[in-house]
Amino acid sequence: LGAGTPVIFSGGGPTSDLINGVNGDGFRAGIAIAWDAESVAEAMHQIADEPASSAARTELSAAVSRDHSLSAVADRIAVVVESLGARR
């Protein structure tokens, strides 16, 4: 995702929510689908038939970097830790 390449995720749980949550206006992080061969094949065809434009890939990479990179996650954790320290 960080490279701007949409992914196909087959399964459930938090990764499925992540993929759907990153999908944005003008770009697509990928497709989160059920864990079965037919769904995977359909998703592969969809990605191949509708490749992301260069601009969409750039937007995806920027969104992932801004919201889901190690640095972005660390910043959010620091805010929580600091707020806990301020309560003492």
Side-chain angles (χ1 to χ4, degrees), residues 19-47:
I19 298 300
N20 291 326
V22 174
N23 285 336
D25 201 20
F27 64 88
R28 177 173 67 183
I31 303 171
I33 52 169
W35 192 350
D36 66 76
E38 187 174 312
S39 295
V40 172
E42 186 176 316
M44 291 173 75
H45 283 288
Q46 186 178 351
I47 292 280

Side-chain angles (χ1 to χ4, degrees), residues 73-86:
V73 172
D75 288 345
R76 289 195 298 272
I77 291 170
V79 168
V80 171
V81 170
E82 289 172 355
S83 73
L84 293 173

